[in-house]
Each structure stands twice: as structure tokens, then as C-alpha cells.
Amino acid sequence: MDILNYRDAVKAINLKRVRADLAARAAYERALNDDGFYKADMAYRSATLDFAVGKCAKNKLSEAERARADALAKLGMTEADLVPAYECRLCNDTGVLNGAPCKCAVDLFIRSLKDGLSVPLRDFSSIDPTAGQLKTFGILKSYAERFPDTNKRIIVLTGGAGVGKTMLAGCVADAVIKRGYTVMAMTAFGFVNRMSRYHTTFDADRNALLNPVLDCDLLIIDDLGTEAVLRNVTLEYLYLVINERKSSGKHTLITTNLSMDELETRYGERTASRLFDKSVCYAAHISGDDMRRKGV
């Protein structure tokens, strides 16, 4: 089973909040040990209360604030040292936003998955694209640099074995991860295995199998068409995932040896129509020799 579930991830994020609160409190208490800061702080607090009830002019409050800042500076500190440094600006490290796990908790969970990154990562700069890869290479590099603000949200790379589809998918994954977004990259076999486990699991951790596939910023399914077609699993969950991610504006990248027609025959018209919806999909055929056979 996976390292975390969403509940554990929220707890881990909230622990960051507790640590940030304690660090800020400790810094404040250290500052209070200095007599100069203590007096300036008390004067500022008194001026703040007097200003709130109209007993202190704005300029007097500003003077008290500057004196407090000067006292902090003599200690080599600033006001920022006294304020908790929360990592997530959305939830302030509570792990929850609008009653649901915040993106920071979802990201932490996805990064913890044992089977969440099954495609080898490659840096675009390490690739010397072949003639058959050149156009798609440039488009994918631009896509990764602009992610998630791209014109297309679904990418389908077709082509024969060994032409570099997985390599290019790994380049996209590497670039997107480096920009701070979460990626799940799995083989088609791994995808079907995960969905089969979800389909046959009924304990409290069941959703930990499906949720990250739906929630990650970029989902990569490599070598679609090589997996087994399991009854009530393969076709049904591929459609569910593609449709849900398309509806929620999530990004999906698929590599396959199959043609568009073969994909429709294997997975059905509903799935194919969503994969190749021109309003959101960029489909590219990569040509060339099998680089693995050539030892490249």
C-alpha cells in the first residue's frame, strides 16, 4: 500500500504549521530577553491599543513601530522572524482548504507514492532529437515550460516501438516536476493494476488508489495498448480517468504504439473522442527507427 493517504498528508502539513508557530514564538521570546526590544515592544503595543480607541495619533503609532523595528534590527532580526513562515499560502499549512485537502497535502501524498513515477526522467537539454522527434520535441519543451498554462491539456504521442515516445514523456515529467507540479507517470500495466486494486478493495484506503490519479497536476500513461483488458476495469477506468481529468481541466499525456483508429477499436468511441478532442488535444506521430535496437 502507499506510504501516505490524504488524511496522513493533512496531518504532516499541519505539523509544519505547528513547527512554524513554535519557531516564531521562540524568536519572539529571544527578542524579549533584550531590555531594549522589550521596552520598545511594550510601547508599541500600548500605542496600538491607544490608537484603536482614539487616544493616540497616527504619527505616534508610527514612531513606536519604527522604534520597535530599530530594536529588532540591533538584534539582527526583522519582523518576519517573529511571524510564522508557513510554506503554503493557500491554507497556511493547515492542510485543508474549503473543507477538503489542500493542494499542498495532495501534492505531498502524490510525491510519496511508491509506484507514482515509473517513467525514467530525462532533462530536455540532454536530448539530441532525431529528425522524427524534432517538431514534437520543440512543442513538448514549450508545453513543459508553460505548464499548466497551455493551449492543450491532453497530449497523445503515437509511433512505433523505440522511436522515443517514453523518453519525451520523461522529459516533460522532469521539467514539470522541477517547476513544482505533481506528476504521476506509470505504464499502462501499472495503471490497470492500480485500477484493479481499487475495483477490488473496500477498506478505508481504497480512495488512496484512485484519488491521486485524478488529482495530480500531470498524469502520464506510457505504452497504452500493451496492458491486459480486464473485465469491468481496463476500459471503464480509462474512460473514467480521461473524462474526469478532461472535465476538471487536468493535464494528461499518453504514449502508445497504436494508431488513432486502433485506439478507438480497443477502447471505444467515447474514450477516443475525449482523447482526440481537438479543442484540448495535441496528437503527434513520431517516426523513425527503433533506437533501442540501434543501441541508442
Side-chain angles (χ1 to χ4, degrees), residues 214 238-250 274:
L214 299 178
L238 180 64
Y239 171 78
L240 181 149
V241 168
I242 296 299
N243 188 58
E244 287 296 316
R245 291 184 63 82
K246 180 175 181 288
S247 298
S248 61
K250 296 286 188 177
R274 282 157 180 77

Side-chain angles (χ1 to χ4, degrees), residues 159-207:
V163 296
K165 302 183 300 296
T166 299
M167 177 186 69
L168 292 174
C171 288
V172 173
D174 180 70
V176 170
I177 289 171
K178 286 176 178 175
R179 297 191 59 235
Y181 296 97
T182 51
V183 175
M184 283 199 74
M186 61 188 70
T187 63
F189 173 83
F191 173 78
V192 169
N193 180 54
R194 175 174 278 266
M195 293 303 96
S196 179
R197 289 162 59 200
Y198 173 79
H199 190 70
T200 57
T201 298
F202 300 98
D203 60 27
D205 291 325
R206 181 175 188 246
N207 287 334

Side-chain angles (χ1 to χ4, degrees), residues 110-124:
I110 291 172
R111 294 180 198 281
S112 78
L113 298 179
K114 297 176 182 178
D115 62 347
L117 203 58
S118 301
V119 173
L121 301 181
R122 296 285 298 270
D123 193 290
F124 275 107

Side-chain angles (χ1 to χ4, degrees), residues 81-145:
D81 295 313
L82 310 184
V83 178
Y86 301 133
E87 294 182 17
C88 180
R89 296 181 180 180
L90 296 176
C91 70
N92 287 332
D93 289 352
T94 63
V96 177
L97 184 66
N98 298 325
C102 180
K103 184 180 183 299
C104 63
V106 174
D107 288 355
L108 175 62
F109 169 55
I110 291 172
R111 294 180 198 281
S112 78
L113 298 179
K114 297 176 182 178
D115 62 347
L117 203 58
S118 301
V119 173
L121 301 181
R122 296 285 298 270
D123 193 290
F124 275 107
S125 64
S126 71
I127 304 301
D128 183 15
T130 65
Q133 299 167 355
L134 191 58
K135 178 181 178 181
T136 302
F137 177 90
I139 291 174
L140 293 181
K141 188 172 185 295
S142 176
Y143 167 89
E145 290 170 348

Side-chain angles (χ1 to χ4, degrees), residues 65-86:
E65 186 175 12
R66 284 194 297 271
R68 184 177 185 272
D70 290 342
L72 269 178
K74 290 179 181 179
L75 298 175
M77 301 172 69
T78 68
E79 182 64 30
D81 295 313
L82 310 184
V83 178
Y86 301 133

